[in-house]
Amino acid sequence: EVQVVESGGGFVNPGRSLRLSCTPSGFIFSDYVISWFRQAPGKGLEWVGFIGSKPYGGTIKSAAYVKGRFTFSRDDSKGIAYLQMNSLEIEDTAMYYCARAPPGPVAGTPYYFDYWGQGTLVTVSS
Amino acid sequence: DIQMTQSPSSLSASVGDRVTISCRASQSISTYLNWYQVKPGKAPKLLIYHAFTLQTGVPSRFSGSRSGTDFTLTISSLQPEDFATYYCQQSFSGPFTFAPGTKVHIE
């Protein structure tokens, strides 16, 4: 059974950092793209970025608002993906979700996200 | 960026009703359109991908269709577990964008 679990959320002051972890199970981790999404309170879903699988070069794509503040990484030997978030802003307050995606036929770019976790809450406030 | 719109933003329905949710892309996205179901405190769930393809394990009362840049999610007979918020999302080009969602309430 495929499962996805996020962890690492919490309360931080503006300008500080936080690292989220995504620990999926039930499939060969290294074969899949891992993507991050978020949902601010009372808002809709928003894509944050993804890190591709190694066979496709581990391509990283991210939303413009990340502005170099967020870093995506993965450790295939441990089966964990990370989202390092620096210079956090109040507007980054949200539930953060991790999701698996099969690599697509064009450079491994994913076309859909088939298993998601329940999320980890990040609150940025002074 | 490709803009996604959805209508209605919310609807009230009863168990057994046929429900349709519409989604429109601001430009052609071929069939790179996915539908997700989100419930509070639960993991978002993929329902349909590539506009028409039912994700494994999703009941057959859910279906998707397309006409140009307009897409529709249909629930043929609403069940109690279907009360949730539904989002369409395009994966034609980055950034992957979602529509604002449709909340399905119990009537």
Side-chain angles (χ1 to χ4, degrees), chain B:
Chain B
D1 297 358
I2 297 174
Q3 306 302 316
M4 304 299 294
T5 56
Q6 204 170 320
S7 61
S9 57
S10 68
L11 65 90
S12 294
S14 300
V15 172
D17 284 353
R18 181 182 181 88
V19 169
T20 59
I21 298 170
S22 299
C23 171
R24 175 172 289 176
S26 61
Q27 65 184 72
S28 176
I29 58 170
S30 184
T31 58
Y32 295 104
L33 189 284
N34 308 314
W35 289 98
Y36 300 88
Q37 177 192 67
V38 180
K39 296 180 180 179
K42 302 277 189 153
K45 181 180 179 182
L46 174 68
L47 299 174
I48 289 170
Y49 61 96
H50 289 323
F52 314 105
T53 305
L54 204 63
Q55 167 68 347
T56 303
V58 173
S60 59
R61 62 180 180 274
F62 291 92
S63 64
S65 62
R66 171 209 178 195
S67 176
T69 58
D70 292 331
F71 299 83
T72 302
L73 173 70
T74 299
I75 309 172
S76 61
S77 178
L78 198 67
Q79 297 302 300
E81 60 268 30
D82 300 337
F83 292 96
T85 302
Y86 295 84
Y87 295 89
C88 64
Q89 173 246 329
Q90 66 82 19
S91 55
F92 179 78
S93 68
F96 301 133
T97 44
F98 290 84
T102 295
K103 188 168 185 177
V104 177
H105 301 265
I106 301 173
E107 188 165 54

Side-chain angles (χ1 to χ4, degrees), chain A residues 64-86:
Chain A
Y65 63 80
V66 166
K67 287 177 275 189
R69 300 183 297 129
F70 293 2
T71 302
F72 302 82
S73 62
R74 61 190 296 161
D75 185 336
D76 287 350
S77 67
K78 295 181 179 177
I80 304 176
Y82 301 100
L83 177 62
Q84 176 69 42
M85 303 187 295
N86 300 328

